[in-house]
Amino acid sequence: MQHHPKFSNLFVVDHPLVQHKLSEMREKDRPMTGFRSRMREIALLLAYEVTRDLPLAKRKIETPIEAMDAPTLDGPMPAIVPILRAGMVMADSMAEQLLPGSPIGHIGLYRDPTTHRPVEYMVKLPEDVPSSSEAAVQKTPGRIFIIVDPMLATGHSLAHAIEVIMRHGIPAERIRVMALVAAPEGVKVLQDSHPKVKVFTAALDDRLNDHAYITPGLGDAGDRLFGTR
């Protein structure tokens, strides 16, 4: 994993398996099922890096040989918050295979085709998310919130999602963004608006085109996941 020299909050996961699987996803002829399976696999590999600094504590266990003080996760499980709809596949993979027991929230946004700005249509966060920063410290000490979305394009949708979670009393230091592919323009939006939020991605691509799609990118991740247009 590399800390990008241009953006202080950006971490690029350059593991060979991540890069290989991402290249397969980029292929325009990749079928829907193959696209979805690769997304699930990359989400797991990225999530290992996003959760690298989760705190550990010691717990007494019995192995078949002897007792030991074994390292175990300390504190509440991370909350996974996909941006609908494309983030759902990433969140499901993480919750099923890597972080069982993690609460899952949902933030529904779509991009206005003219302004390219997010329009919110649903917010459903885990029930234990408090309504004030004081309660956040008391009820969810140390819990991190991982916002997942395949594409970090203009950055406005992810910036909006961060603001939604912060309005529920969660400090920026405990919010992380995980995206498969990012555009420099979107990363800059997040760095300027939420500099304390760490961003993890498999690739920082070249730019946004005139339609605000990432170039070379993946195309429309939601349509490719679900077979829609």
Side-chain angles (χ1 to χ4, degrees):
M1 182 173 67
Q2 295 182 355
H3 190 182
H4 199 278
K6 184 177 178 180
F7 299 107
S8 60
N9 63 336
L10 180 65
F11 299 85
V12 179
V13 180
D14 56 353
H15 191 283
L17 286 178
V18 172
Q19 297 306 308
H20 174 76
K21 293 176 184 296
L22 180 60
S23 294
E24 292 183 329
M25 287 188 71
R26 291 186 191 270
E27 294 174 324
K28 66 178 183 179
D29 296 327
R30 177 68 48 180
M32 179 182 66
T33 54
F35 188 86
R36 185 183 298 138
S37 66
R38 294 298 181 274
M39 181 177 289
R40 293 175 66 89
E41 292 165 359
I42 296 176
L44 289 177
L45 295 169
L46 291 180
Y48 277 109
E49 298 296 345
V50 175
T51 57
R52 176 178 288 275
D53 60 350
L54 290 181
L56 292 172
K58 296 289 187 176
R59 180 169 64 87
K60 182 76 72 175
I61 67 168
E62 292 280 347
T63 79
I65 308 300
E66 63 179 6
M68 68 170 289
D69 291 323
T72 57
L73 290 177
D74 186 30
M77 294 293 286
I80 307 168
V81 185
I83 294 182
L84 303 180
R85 60 184 167 153
M88 292 172 58
V89 172
M90 299 170 68
D92 287 346
S93 179
M94 293 165 64
E96 290 171 6
Q97 300 187 54
L98 194 66
L99 297 167
S102 283
I104 300 177
H106 297 90
I107 297 179
L109 304 171
Y110 67 88
R111 187 170 66 176
D112 184 281
T114 302
T115 65
H116 300 150
R117 294 297 178 123
V119 179
E120 179 184 306
Y121 64 89
M122 189 188 80
V123 173
K124 194 75 170 178
L125 295 180
E127 292 182 357
D128 61 348
V129 175
S131 58
S132 71
S133 58
E134 181 180 357
V137 173
Q138 294 174 352
K139 294 185 180 180
T140 57
R143 188 192 299 280
I144 67 168
F145 286 72
I146 306 171
I147 305 173
V148 296
D149 194 6
M151 316 296 285
L152 198 178
T154 66
H156 297 306
S157 292
L158 282 163
H160 183 92
I162 292 168
E163 289 158 10
V164 167
I165 294 174
M166 291 180 69
R167 286 202 299 267
H168 285 77
I170 306 304
E173 294 86 351
R174 289 206 270 124
I175 301 173
R176 297 172 191 181
V177 167
M178 192 177 101
L180 300 188
V181 178
E185 296 91 332
V187 176
K188 186 176 188 305
V189 165
L190 292 192
Q191 182 170 269
D192 291 346
S193 58
H194 301 291
K196 294 182 180 179
V197 174
K198 294 179 180 179
V199 179
F200 297 80
T201 186
L204 180 65
D205 275 11
D206 296 340
R207 60 183 176 85
L208 296 178
N209 65 16
D210 293 340
H211 300 286
Y213 278 89
I214 300 175
T215 301
L218 297 168
D220 188 305
D223 285 345
R224 295 189 68 188
L225 278 170
F226 302 112
T228 56
R229 290 182 176 272

